[in-house]
Amino acid sequence: MVFKHQHFHETSAEVEAEFPPGATLEGAVSDALASAGGVDASDVAVIARGSEVTLIGTVQLESEIARAEEVALNVAGVTTVRNELRFNRPM
């Protein structure tokens, strides 16, 4: 097998972005939620569009909804949080 460097018409291939632009912010918010006290974010999804972050999913306590929003707003790069979290009512 012969290894050849990637070229396109004799120019090196370029990688413009390895991750979509929102992926870095989504990861930062997810990490912040995972390490923050006062919120169990195991069932929370984070979607970023520009500097706006949407939180979707469920939490166990109603107080965790506001705490998750507070944590997300404190992440660098987040300007707006759409909080669509719901809490599971005990049966």
Side-chain angles (χ1 to χ4, degrees), residues 53-70:
V53 170
T54 302
L55 304 176
I56 300 171
T58 58
V59 292
Q60 296 299 314
L61 302 171
E62 191 170 11
S63 61
E64 292 177 309
I65 295 172
R67 176 69 179 139
E69 183 173 345
E70 175 188 355

Side-chain angles (χ1 to χ4, degrees), residues 41-91:
S42 56
D43 291 324
V44 176
V46 179
I47 301 170
R49 287 188 185 87
S51 62
E52 179 182 85
V53 170
T54 302
L55 304 176
I56 300 171
T58 58
V59 292
Q60 296 299 314
L61 302 171
E62 191 170 11
S63 61
E64 292 177 309
I65 295 172
R67 176 69 179 139
E69 183 173 345
E70 175 188 355
V71 169
L73 276 172
N74 286 310
V75 172
V78 176
T79 57
T80 308
V81 175
R82 289 185 58 210
N83 194 337
E84 298 180 8
L85 295 176
R86 303 288 175 252
F87 77 101
N88 290 332
R89 294 182 190 275
M91 296 194 170

